[in-house]
Amino acid sequence: MHVYPFSAIVGSDDLALALVLTAVSPGIGGVLIRGEKGTAKSTAVRGLAGVLPRQAVVAGCRFGCDPAAADPACPDGPHDAAAEPATRPARVVELPVGATEDRVVGSLDLRQALGHGVTAFEPGLLAAANRGILYVDEVNLLQDHLVDVLLDAAAMGRCTVERDGVSVSHQARIVLVGTMNPEEGELRPQLLDRFGLAVDVAAPREPAARAEVVRRRLAHDADPGAFVSRFAPDEDALRSRIAEARSRLSEVALPDSMLTLIAEVCAAFEVDGLRADIVTARAAIAHAAWAGRPAVTRADIRAAGRLALPHRRRRNPFDAPGLDEDLLDEILGEDPPAGPPDPTDPTDPPDPPDPTDGSSGPHRQDGASSDRPGQDGTGTDGPEPGSTESGSPGPDDPAAHRSVAGATDSRDLPEEGAATGAPPGSAGRPTTAAAGSPYRARVLTAKGVGHGESGRRSRAITSTGHAIGATADRGSADRSTGRGLHLPATIRAAARHQQRRGRTDGPLVLDVSDLRRPVRQGRESNLVLLCVDASGSMAARRRMEAVKAAILSLLLDAYQRRDKVGLVTFRGAGAELVLPPTSSVDIAARRLADLAHGGRTPLAEGLLTAYSALRTERIRDPRRRPLLVVVTDGRATAGPDAVARAGVVAARLREERVDSVVIDCETGRFRLGLAAALAVRLGAEHLSVGDVAADTIADVVRDQSIRTPGARREPAHPRGLVA
């Protein structure tokens, strides 16, 4: 199989530089690559293996120990220091998203255990990736228990296995490289911080760059061997340069003045902890070695800061990633003037690029200019990191973070329409309201044990987690049990039948009836769907400000607990699923910013849209427990028989046994009690207007999660609604 050459990737200068710096100095800690689909993220990582220098290993060691500094606790040791070392290509080991924990950390060797009665350890992917690169595609979709394993290995540099009668600890010095599409959800903060560098990539917009990408892709697919041979000289030159940079790494000086400058940069951008300072220093040294400089300069710090700091500036998931490069330049100042570069200097070949010097891209082929971003190669061509979309408030805009969590009285807020310049009383016109600041949610879980998808909120029997028991193998993929076999339980089940089966000596005699599978207890995620009245029948702006803040808080909690949150709004003549169930908080925050309100109240349409959304999610994921939160005053003013139609839809939701909460937004001295009647039809809990504050709405959702029975109820078969 011919891998697409790394040097053939068009553009993607920041991506190429980040991967090269990590190859030069593995201590940087790896690279996180964020970008939309089709931007050559995986292609670049897989191509990196072809330009990494070969490495020396202890001959016969399954863990790839370095002959110069062998692991004294290596399970294959002790190693003979006088033995002749072997060499092998540097490894890029891919960790599939669906991998089991046994496959990642290693497990008991079943062939040795069952065939010869010997307890032997079978190494996993962490052992294979020792002193190499562990690549995780779609790293943001990785199961939480695997994320915990990677965090331990990245922090300690070792993998310790204590399971199934095996007690093993081996070296696991891995360089973690991950790719992800932000639209599919964010990454846990702990794992995000473990990536030394981060790069955002996007497809090019220039037709010439896109044409060159397609030209090279078609040429590779038509004749992979010829295409790889065509770029072999470039690959060799790049491999040699990486090896030279590695050899110079220990000789590069980091003056105290430059180290102080790194600390000033990190302090100015208010990054948490000191890992940013350490990574920036290491990346700056690697960049200087890559450029052939004897000491770190401001240009090296700038290149390192652009890659090491953006993902560490995020205080919460709603902050846009990026870096204010004007501030970075202001802090760094100017380098002293230097003489012209020596055109004969062998340390300045064109592959790959240095984005700090404004030079053209590294891969010019067939006359195509490569100073344009591309993919597969592709690169970035869009707003500067940290910029916001036109018309949208930036992360530092005070208006975007104005808190209304404690505003429960209309006197606390300006008149309706004041926020948008609309005249008071213009409730029938669509307007928008700013969202309050999100807040941290309490850690609450549902009672009992459910059977939902893996998450981080409620206890559940899932396919991942810790084994709490075993069950007989029924010959089918039972999703309530873990993957693989529960070896101790299988052996115990077979042991009582050995005499009857005629075993006198030799291997254990097994039968299909002896097989046992683990029952694993982990955590599940839930679905919270908010159905919000966005009409003008009440103080809509105050309500929407509070509701938006509550939704942002629920999204923040969902991001941390792996829940899903959706939003249905209804106003005018219809309803809309504004936010389909998602865990991507970035997309949710952008949708909420433009949420309008005003007009008549189509309550039936709102409930019907919510029911349709829940029915779709139930078909797609029947084991996820939903909770419907309806925020309304109960009025229904759109269309004939509006109240009766709303009652029919509410009764259907009750038949489907959807757990619901109705938050009554009716105000004033004279109240009709329509929301209370709606709660009765829904079989929902009814809350008064005093509980409308954003923090109270979120508390209601969490409290209802606690009251939800732990055992999963089989959903009724979805049926259509007849208005």
Side-chain angles (χ1 to χ4, degrees):
M1 178 180 178
H2 296 282
V3 178
Y4 196 93
F6 186 78
S7 58
I9 296 176
V10 178
S12 295
D13 292 354
D14 283 352
L15 173 57
L17 181 62
L19 291 174
V20 165
L21 292 182
T22 301
V24 171
S25 177
I28 290 174
V31 183
L32 174 64
I33 307 168
R34 297 163 44 98
E36 57 197 18
K37 50 187 176 293
T39 51
K41 302 185 297 292
S42 300
T43 301
V45 178
R46 295 188 177 106
L48 179 64
V51 297
L52 293 177
R54 295 178 65 87
Q55 59 183 197
V57 296
V58 174
C61 179
R62 296 174 298 168
F63 302 88
C65 284
D66 186 355
D71 180 13
C74 178
D76 286 353
H79 299 303
D80 184 3
E84 185 70 20
T87 62
R88 71 178 185 186
R91 292 186 174 180
V92 176
V93 178
E94 188 164 352
L95 192 160
V97 171
T100 63
E101 186 174 350
D102 289 347
R103 184 70 187 94
V104 176
V105 302
S107 62
L108 184 66
D109 190 330
L110 294 179
R111 179 178 300 178
Q112 295 290 330
L114 299 180
H116 305 285
V118 176
T119 301
F121 177 67
E122 183 177 2
L125 295 178
L126 288 178
N130 183 33
R131 301 177 59 214
I133 293 175
L134 184 65
Y135 169 49
V136 187
D137 194 12
E138 305 295 348
V139 64
N140 53 322
L141 303 182
L142 200 63
Q143 296 286 351
D144 284 339
H145 68 289
L146 295 183
V147 172
D148 295 336
V149 169
L150 294 183
L151 288 173
D152 289 341
M156 306 301 295
R158 300 194 67 82
C159 175
T160 301
V161 182
E162 297 284 353
R163 60 196 311 167
D164 298 335
V166 174
S167 178
V168 171
S169 178
H170 66 83
Q171 195 177 73
R173 295 179 180 174
I174 59 173
V175 175
L176 194 60
V177 176
T179 58
M180 60 173 285
N181 185 346
E183 295 180 356
E184 297 174 344
E186 289 300 322
L187 203 61
R188 281 174 55 180
Q190 298 92 334
L191 186 58
L192 180 65
D193 190 53
R194 283 294 172 184
F195 287 99
L197 310 178
V199 181
D200 286 292
V201 296
R205 298 295 179 259
E206 294 88 348
R210 299 175 75 96
E212 180 63 13
V213 170
V214 176
R215 185 180 299 112
R216 295 190 180 190
R217 186 77 251 183
L218 293 178
H220 177 268
D221 294 344
D223 192 346
F227 188 84
V228 171
S229 298
R230 170 185 164 191
F231 285 92
D234 295 335
E235 296 282 281
D236 293 338
L238 187 54
R239 189 181 304 109
S240 298
R241 189 180 178 190
I242 292 176
E244 293 173 3
R246 283 184 176 180
S247 64
R248 288 193 299 265
L249 193 65
S250 60
E251 302 172 0
V252 175
L254 178 60
D256 287 343
S257 59
M258 293 295 102
L259 182 57
T260 302
L261 190 57
I262 291 174
E264 291 176 359
V265 169
C266 295
F269 284 104
E270 299 180 346
V271 295
D272 294 330
L274 293 173
R275 184 171 287 120
D277 304 62
I278 297 172
V279 171
T280 304
R282 288 174 175 169
I285 294 172
H287 191 271
W290 174 248
R293 285 188 281 267
V296 172
T297 66
R298 286 178 170 81
D300 300 318
I301 297 176
R302 185 182 192 279
R306 290 178 62 252
L307 300 173
L309 298 181
H311 61 298
R312 291 187 166 86
R313 292 190 60 249
R314 305 186 75 182
R315 288 295 183 274
N316 61 66
F318 305 108
D319 294 338
L323 197 70
D324 185 350
E325 296 197 26
D326 291 336
L327 176 59
L328 180 61
D329 292 336
E330 181 181 345
I331 298 170
L332 292 177
E334 297 291 338
D335 269 326
D342 183 0
T344 64
D345 186 357
T347 63
D348 192 26
D351 285 326
D354 182 352
T356 64
D357 59 9
S359 61
S360 61
H363 315 305
R364 306 190 58 159
Q365 204 74 9
D366 298 337
S369 173
S370 60
D371 58 348
R372 303 168 187 264
Q375 96 274 23
D376 191 6
T378 63
T380 57
D381 180 37
E384 289 293 324
S387 64
T388 57
E389 296 179 0
S390 176
S392 299
D396 297 326
D397 186 353
H401 301 284
R402 186 176 298 114
S403 175
V404 295
T408 58
D409 191 293
S410 59
R411 293 173 296 179
D412 297 335
L413 295 163
E415 290 293 328
E416 174 99 15
T420 59
S426 58
R429 304 176 187 176
T431 59
T432 58
S437 299
Y439 45 85
R440 182 175 295 275
R442 298 198 306 266
V443 181
L444 298 176
T445 61
K447 293 182 178 179
V449 180
H451 293 78
E453 290 294 340
S454 296
R456 299 188 64 210
R457 179 170 297 278
S458 307
R459 287 191 303 160
I461 301 300
T462 64
S463 60
T464 60
H466 298 288
I468 59 173
T471 184
D473 181 19
R474 291 184 288 271
S476 61
D478 186 356
R479 298 186 66 186
S480 67
T481 60
R483 306 168 188 165
L485 292 178
H486 193 294
L487 187 59
T490 299
I491 294 175
R492 285 194 297 268
R496 66 174 69 101
H497 304 296
Q498 295 306 295
Q499 184 176 2
R500 179 174 58 83
R501 294 171 184 172
R503 179 190 178 221
T504 58
D505 195 7
L508 195 70
V509 180
L510 291 175
D511 186 77
V512 174
S513 61
D514 300 328
L515 299 181
R516 298 292 184 269
R517 294 191 179 274
V519 177
R520 300 187 182 276
Q521 179 174 293
R523 297 280 175 174
E524 70 172 357
S525 60
N526 303 110
L527 167 63
V528 178
L529 182 66
L530 290 98
C531 184
V532 180
D533 182 354
S535 69
S537 62
M538 48 189 164
R541 188 185 62 81
R542 179 170 68 88
R543 182 185 71 250
M544 291 307 297
E545 286 179 340
V547 168
K548 283 184 178 182
I551 297 171
L552 290 177
S553 301
L554 290 171
L555 281 168
L556 180 59
D557 191 54
Y559 164 74
Q560 297 168 338
R561 306 292 166 194
R562 294 299 188 264
D563 288 332
K564 282 189 174 182
V565 178
L567 172 63
V568 171
T569 62
F570 54 95
R571 68 178 183 87
E576 180 183 4
L577 181 61
V578 177
L579 178 66
T582 181
S583 57
S584 178
V585 294
D586 288 340
I587 297 176
R590 291 197 296 268
R591 298 280 177 87
L592 289 171
D594 299 326
L595 183 61
H597 56 85
R600 301 180 70 84
T601 311
L603 177 59
E605 286 74 9
L607 294 176
L608 180 59
T609 302
Y611 174 75
S612 299
L614 291 175
R615 182 176 60 180
T616 300
E617 284 298 308
R618 178 173 289 172
I619 295 173
R620 182 179 301 162
D621 187 0
R623 300 186 301 137
R624 189 183 296 274
R625 291 182 283 178
L627 174 62
L628 175 64
V629 180
V630 184
V631 184
T632 181
D633 58 4
R635 289 184 172 88
T637 61
D641 300 325
V643 176
R645 289 191 296 113
V648 171
V649 182
R652 178 56 55 86
L653 283 165
R654 183 172 184 173
E655 287 180 18
E656 296 291 342
R657 295 182 292 181
V658 175
D659 293 319
S660 306
V661 176
V662 173
I663 298 179
D664 190 350
C665 295
E666 189 174 27
T667 59
R669 182 173 300 176
F670 302 101
R671 304 185 181 183
L672 302 178
L674 299 177
L678 175 64
V680 172
R681 288 182 175 271
L682 282 170
E685 182 177 0
H686 172 253
L687 301 172
S688 66
V689 68
D691 298 322
V692 174
D695 54 349
T696 307
I697 295 177
D699 288 343
V700 169
V701 174
R702 301 189 198 98
D703 292 343
Q704 182 67 17
S705 295
I706 290 181
R707 286 189 289 271
T708 302
R712 179 174 65 91
R713 298 177 300 186
E714 292 296 331
H717 188 277
R719 296 188 294 271
L721 296 183
V722 180

